[in-house]
Amino acid sequence: FDGTLGDTETPAMIVAFWELAPYFPEASVEYLSQECMRTYVRNNAGKAFEFMVDVVEEDRKKAGLPAIEEVRAAGAEDPLVLAHVNEQRAKSGLPTIEATRALGKDILTLQKDETVEALATLAEPCPNVPGVLADLKARGYDFSIATTSGKPRVPVSVVACQYEAYFPPEKIHSGESDFEPPRFKPDPSVYLLAAEKTAALPANSVAVEDSTSGVGSAANAKMGLIVGYVGGSHISDENEDGHAGTLMAGSRSDDGRGADIVVRDMRDLVPVVDHFKSAVESGEKEPVKFPRALLDGLVDKHWVDEARVVA
């Protein structure tokens, strides 16, 4: 969902950044600039917050600093850094770090709750997605959400994006919330669950992903077609070529498989899915080939291995 259906990666990552910022070993007012925040958002979009916390904890340990929760419990953050962080948190409608202490929540729980609160008002559809969903539904395609993100974060975002008609609760599947312990991408479990609940064979299904871990999850689940997407606001224009390349590289899949094709405009998903359906129905062997005429008819920039292109 995040970064494909809903343009939620950027606001969610901004929340995550300003929750972790006081605990970066190198934290200072000068270091915690807007450029630092934007770089962090780009580099960590699609990753679980638990992973980000682990990285900061490891960096703090190497620097000989106490654990995050020790600092939070003692209120030992740098006051100048805290004032700066609080000013930035206010832009997302969040309380000061000091005010969160009374809640008695650890940073993982706090992040989940604050992200839900922020996304309830900040989540928006990715460009052209509402029309694409309507078009796919009109063509008879069934679809579900298969996400690492937990509940209620995703249902709240679905409501904010006005997607309730497409994704009722039974169509939302979460690697974090639907499994005990959680199974985060690139683990294939959430895709396999979504396919099962949709009564679809993974080999006949399409995954749309904006992250390497998501592509890895879809590949490990043996999804028939993996479409990468770089049209979310968390992927800058200057980084889209590189990001498309990483999605196609297959670095997080067990067999090295990456995205079969990457698109920038979600409207191009419809003809690609139509082509995949025709290939499946005709018994075409994997991997699916892409006719040049199909690619020439796409409305925006796309990336595909030329070895997969046919006349």
Side-chain angles (χ1 to χ4, degrees):
F1 183 90
D2 299 305
T4 52
L5 293 170
D7 201 357
T8 55
E9 284 285 9
T10 296
M13 283 300 306
I14 289 173
V15 170
F17 177 82
W18 292 115
E19 283 166 342
L20 282 173
Y23 313 106
F24 294 153
E26 59 272 67
S28 68
V29 173
E30 294 73 24
Y31 177 79
L32 298 174
S33 64
Q34 290 297 305
E35 182 55 36
C36 175
M37 184 267 292
R38 286 191 289 268
T39 300
Y40 191 86
V41 167
R42 287 195 301 268
N43 292 342
N44 289 278
K47 296 177 182 177
F49 187 67
E50 288 83 349
F51 171 83
M52 292 181 262
V53 172
D54 287 345
V55 170
V56 176
E57 291 283 28
E58 185 63 27
D59 290 343
R60 292 184 65 82
K61 184 177 180 180
K62 290 177 181 177
L65 297 172
I68 291 173
E69 291 302 335
E70 290 183 42
V71 177
R72 294 181 72 238
E77 297 92 347
D78 182 314
L80 293 178
V81 168
L82 216 55
H84 176 62
V85 167
N86 287 336
E87 181 181 347
Q88 300 303 317
R89 283 170 57 84
K91 295 177 182 179
S92 294
L94 300 176
T96 64
I97 294 291
E98 294 91 333
T100 66
R101 299 195 209 284
L103 301 175
K105 299 176 180 178
D106 62 31
I107 196 168
L108 294 177
T109 304
L110 182 66
Q111 182 268 343
K112 289 177 174 56
D113 291 347
E114 290 193 336
T115 300
V116 169
E117 182 179 344
L119 291 180
T121 56
L122 298 177
E124 297 180 346
C126 283
N128 299 316
V129 168
V132 169
L133 291 176
D135 197 353
L136 291 172
K137 185 174 182 178
R139 291 166 184 257
Y141 293 115
D142 199 0
F143 38 76
S144 300
I145 292 172
T147 180
T148 279
S149 298
K151 303 170 183 176
R153 167 177 167 160
V154 179
V156 163
S157 299
V158 166
V159 172
C161 293
Q162 299 183 5
Y163 287 160
E164 301 101 303
Y166 302 111
F167 302 107
E170 65 271 17
K171 291 287 189 180
I172 301 173
H173 309 290
S174 164
E176 178 178 311
S177 301
D178 291 345
F179 301 91
E180 183 58 45
R183 299 181 187 177
F184 297 118
K185 298 176 181 179
D187 185 293
S189 297
V190 72
Y191 268 114
L192 296 175
L193 176 64
E196 176 188 345
K197 295 297 185 181
T198 313
L201 293 173
N204 294 344
S205 303
V206 179
V208 182
E209 283 288 353
D210 71 316
S211 70
T212 55
S213 59
V215 169
S217 176
N220 293 337
K222 308 300 182 186
M223 301 293 279
L225 182 70
I226 304 173
V227 179
Y229 175 66
V230 296
S233 67
H234 60 293
I235 302 171
S236 62
D237 291 344
E238 61 267 27
N239 288 330
E240 65 183 16
D241 286 326
H243 195 76
T246 63
L247 295 179
M248 295 173 67
S251 62
R252 302 297 302 280
S253 61
D254 294 340
D255 61 1
R257 180 188 174 194
D260 298 296
I261 186 171
V262 178
V263 300
R264 182 168 64 182
D265 191 315
M266 197 62 83
R267 288 176 295 178
D268 287 327
L269 179 64
V270 177
V272 169
V273 170
D274 281 344
H275 171 66
F276 175 69
K277 179 185 178 185
S278 296
V280 170
E281 291 175 343
S282 66
E284 181 178 326
K285 293 183 180 180
E286 297 182 0
V288 173
K289 300 293 193 296
F290 299 98
R292 175 61 64 188
L294 167 70
L295 300 177
D296 289 345
L298 299 182
V299 300
D300 200 0
K301 189 174 181 179
H302 56 276
W303 296 257
V304 66
D305 185 347
E306 281 297 319
R308 302 276 296 276
V309 180
V310 295

